[in-house]
Amino acid sequence: MPKGVVYLVRTQVAPEREAEWDQWHRETHVPEVLSERGFRRARRLRVVEGEEDHRYWTCYDLESAEALQAYRQSPAAMRLSSQHELKFGKAADLRRSTFEVVDDLRAPVAPSEAAVVGGGVHLMLRPATAADENAVLGMLKHLFDGGAPPPGFSEEQARASFRQYLGDPESGLFVAETEGRIVSFAAATSYPTMRFGRRGHVEDLVVDPDFRVKGVGHRLLEYVERWARREGVTHLSTVVGLQREESRKFLNRKGFTDASLVLRKRWTAGAPPPF
Ligand SMILES: CC(C)(COP(=O)(O)OP(=O)(O)OC[C@H]1O[C@@H](n2cnc3c(N)ncnc32)[C@H](O)[C@@H]1OP(=O)(O)O)[C@@H](O)C(=O)NCCC(=O)NCCS
């Protein structure tokens, strides 16, 4: 996903109009701006410390500089700006600036943990970083049934998904590393449900065949579970191919019961749906 731009509007409002402005801005103005093309989200900030002469900062995230330019030249931008001017006029002073997003970095979704498994193997369990991309992608083949990628698989798409995982606050991509080698990874996500509260799903869990039956899978799964619990997840699920009887038994021993039947319809580009 492109990093985008930030459009910052700093506002100083006359104290006697501040409450009125705050409500109108939050409930009417910003939602209207956000409904315009190219906007992703807005954060409204109020200065609580520091020498700022403008007390309210509104940071709009947009897809691109072009999207911002198109908005600023649009009739909607003119209408919204003149609404502001008509309603508050000299009572509000606005300063506008645009920023290019150079990097969008997040704190790790979980702290790293050390573990020792069978054969005296020292593991570091940690969230994946961008530097793990090739190692993680290289392990996908161990998840392919019969060694062949599923229909429609593309490495480009897999790489894009890897990066999406890293940037998604509701997902976690975790690795187990020993002596600089990635020997296992797990991909998990959490999502809201109305009936059961927050649920979690482990999409992938794989251990390098050279490191199996030592407790690596068990330790990484526990690590994922601790992340899920901190996220407020109450149920964790995973899907295992019907032919993977050993993996299913492993999961059963880790407390995953055979709970439901997964029904799947799939289609791929170039093939008539349903596949
Ligand atoms: C399923 C899978 C993740 C298990 O990983 P693993 O690292 O081999 O699993 P573990 O070593 O933790 O546990 C397997 C068994 O190894 C044995 N074991 C565990 N610790 C051990 C140790 N210290 N020494 C010797 N054996 C040990 C145990 O018998 C254990 O079974 P149990 O604890 O459930 O009774 C792995 O086989 C795999 O990657 N499979 C292919 C992908 C797949 O099917 N993934 C699951 C669905 S997405």
Side-chain angles (χ1 to χ4, degrees), residues 117-118 142-143 203-207 211-218 238-240 244 247 250-251 253-254:
V117 291
H142 303 304
L143 285 164
E203 177 63 26
D204 301 312
L205 169 69
V206 62
V207 174
F211 286 82
R212 288 191 190 163
V213 204
K214 291 177 188 295
V216 177
H218 173 63
T238 189
V239 172
V240 60
R244 291 185 183 264
S247 301
F250 163 84
L251 289 161
R253 288 193 297 269
K254 303 300 161 221

Side-chain angles (χ1 to χ4, degrees), residues 70-87:
Y71 166 72
R72 293 192 75 174
Q73 289 167 355
S74 69
M78 285 165 211
R79 176 175 49 80
L80 287 161
S81 161
S82 57
Q83 270 174 7
H84 201 292
E85 178 63 28
L86 268 173
K87 232 174 145 38

